Amino acid sequence: MTETVVHVTTIEQWKSVLDVWFAQMKQDKTWKIDFYGEGEHWSSENLTLEQAKRRADNCPAEYWCSIVPMEQYMDY
């Protein structure tokens, strides 16, 4: 994956950037969502992209979240 810098000034622009990014990602991956706020952090793992997006949509206003693809680990 290449690195891209994007400057956004509104939440609508940010949502648009995320929509493009998600569309470029393969839908068969599993995803992780991290929540941060009020000195706390928690995660939900092994979600479909739709599940992760629904959880992000329901994120409390005092928290922020990030959705990332789960890493593929190989057991040797």
Side-chain angles (χ1 to χ4, degrees), residues 48-64:
T48 65
L49 182 55
E50 288 305 314
Q51 289 171 324
K53 284 180 167 181
R54 276 195 303 272
R55 291 188 187 195
D57 288 343
N58 294 319
C59 183
E62 60 273 10
Y63 290 84
W64 68 274

Side-chain angles (χ1 to χ4, degrees), residues 7-59:
H7 176 77
V8 297
T9 57
T10 67
I11 192 69
E12 290 79 19
Q13 290 173 332
W14 180 240
K15 287 180 180 179
S16 178
V17 168
L18 290 178
D19 287 342
V20 170
W21 184 71
F22 288 135
Q24 292 174 347
M25 300 299 291
K26 292 184 179 178
Q27 296 291 322
D28 61 347
K29 289 187 176 190
T30 57
W31 296 80
K32 172 183 174 181
I33 185 168
D34 291 308
F35 294 92
Y36 304 89
E38 299 180 342
E40 295 185 32
H41 167 255
W42 72 94
S43 300
S44 293
E45 299 181 349
N46 297 316
L47 303 169
T48 65
L49 182 55
E50 288 305 314
Q51 289 171 324
K53 284 180 167 181
R54 276 195 303 272
R55 291 188 187 195
D57 288 343
N58 294 319
C59 183

